[in-house]
Amino acid sequence: MTTTKSRADARERQPAPRLTDVTELKRIAQELRRQVVRLVAPTGQGYVQQGLGAADLFTAMFFSELRLDPADPAWPDRDRFLLSTAHNTAIFYATLAARGCLPEAMLADYCKDGSPLEINASERIGPLIEATCGSLGQGLSVAVGMAMALRHQKRDARVHVILGDGEMQEGQVWEAALMAGARKLSNLCLILDYNRMQVGGHVDNVVGLEPVADKFQSFGFRVETIDGNDMDAVVGAFARARAHTEAPTCIVADTLVGKGAPSLEGILGHNMKLPADLAARALKELA
């Protein structure tokens, strides 16, 4: 049972300091890219392209933006993070380990039978995973509910959720967006990982999204479009979202699949094979 005293103690706790040195954030992102390749290489399968493309978003999120306590992932006043594209776990787990939220030794069990580090992030890991979002399109709905609950509890914690562009084709996303805008959930920040790739190929060849920024704006979001592989732009966008108090924020982050490894950049492979020779080449390029 949570007592009044424990709630007060939680509010008095000082969160881990934000890392503001962009040069250091870029260094961390590059190391996380190498870790993504290392995680995928043993089996040759995994979401390496998405992981490389989203490394800057995850770095800025976990090292600069989120208010958290790695030693206490269930801290009531933590900022919440939801990965709606729950299969993009190589970069997610690599980030959690680098941030001290997971023992790095656990990464050796990535996707092994019986390991909690499943290809789709699930609550088997524990409170680090706010919700299992294996069915695409559900993350924003969960995030909206969390943002409303935190507001009701009068907590100043924020909710961040990363969605993939293919998920925008799910009707549930737009129902949740309608509610977020109507309730003016300024404690909610949606990040669209706009890499233009889904399992069926290029997004425009399946169901095009444009003008996606205008759509979210019409639903009551404050919207900005950034280069999701520009660390300065990402950090700045998060800061502006945090400062805005009138509406939820949608950050449309243009990212490049395979970012950082020229041999992989731009290749639309949703769950592409990564043979040993290609992994070695990518690691060399990322070095």
Side-chain angles (χ1 to χ4, degrees):
M1 179 180 294
T2 302
T3 65
T4 302
K5 183 178 185 301
S6 64
R7 286 196 297 269
D9 290 344
R11 290 192 180 97
E12 290 171 2
R13 184 184 312 184
Q14 293 299 312
R18 290 187 172 96
L19 180 59
T20 59
D21 185 340
V22 171
T23 300
E24 178 63 9
L25 290 170
K26 290 179 179 178
R27 185 199 65 77
I28 294 170
Q30 194 72 348
E31 176 54 34
L32 290 180
R33 287 187 169 97
R34 288 191 284 270
Q35 190 69 284
V36 165
V37 174
R38 296 187 195 108
L39 287 175
V40 175
T43 62
Q45 297 187 58
Y47 296 90
V48 64
Q49 293 297 80
Q50 298 93 322
L52 294 177
D56 300 293
L57 298 177
F58 277 81
T59 301
M61 181 78 69
F62 278 87
F63 287 85
S64 180
E65 181 56 28
L66 291 180
R67 181 174 64 176
L68 53 81
D69 181 355
D72 183 8
W75 176 35
D77 285 309
R78 70 194 180 280
D79 286 342
R80 273 64 170 173
F81 172 77
L82 292 148
L83 179 61
S84 192
T85 46
H87 55 270
N88 197 9
T89 46
I91 182 62
F92 188 25
Y93 298 152
T95 304
L96 290 176
R99 188 64 181 82
C101 300
L102 279 180
E104 190 162 342
M106 282 186 68
L107 297 180
D109 293 330
Y110 178 57
C111 293
K112 290 183 179 179
D113 287 347
S115 169
L117 300 189
E118 300 171 289
I119 192 69
N120 271 34
S122 78
E123 292 162 276
R124 286 185 62 203
I125 298 177
L128 286 166
I129 309 300
E130 300 286 353
T132 298
C133 296
S135 296
L136 294 176
Q138 296 183 346
L140 184 58
S141 296
V142 179
V144 167
M146 286 182 170
M148 292 175 67
L150 289 168
R151 174 181 284 182
H152 179 72
Q153 295 168 5
K154 294 181 169 47
R155 296 186 186 276
D156 62 356
R158 294 176 55 73
V159 182
H160 299 75
V161 55
I162 290 183
L163 275 78
D165 39 19
E167 289 186 277
M168 297 296 102
Q169 298 155 3
E170 301 279 358
Q172 183 173 339
V173 170
W174 299 102
E175 293 179 36
L178 185 66
M179 178 63 75
R183 293 292 183 267
K184 301 186 185 302
L185 297 177
S186 57
N187 59 343
L188 173 68
C189 181
L190 157 66
I191 304 97
L192 173 58
D193 183 5
Y194 204 6
N195 58 28
R196 293 171 174 79
M197 177 180 68
Q198 61 185 105
V199 68
H202 195 289
V203 167
D204 288 347
N205 294 332
V206 183
V207 178
L209 304 180
E210 292 301 334
V212 68
D214 292 345
K215 289 171 183 173
F216 275 103
Q217 188 170 9
S218 72
F219 275 67
F221 280 69
R222 171 194 166 272
V223 184
E224 63 175 295
T225 299
I226 63 168
D227 179 349
N229 296 127
D230 180 332
M231 189 63 75
D232 285 287
V234 176
V235 171
F238 283 147
R240 289 186 290 275
R242 193 182 337 121
H244 190 75
T245 59
E246 302 299 324
T249 290
C250 172
I251 299 171
V252 180
D254 287 308
T255 58
L256 177 64
V257 292
K259 176 67 178 180
S263 61
L264 299 177
E265 286 186 351
I267 297 176
L268 299 184
H270 181 74
N271 192 11
M272 63 176 284
K273 297 284 187 181
L274 188 68
D277 59 336
L278 189 55
R281 180 177 177 183
L283 284 172
K284 184 176 181 180
E285 291 171 341
L286 289 164

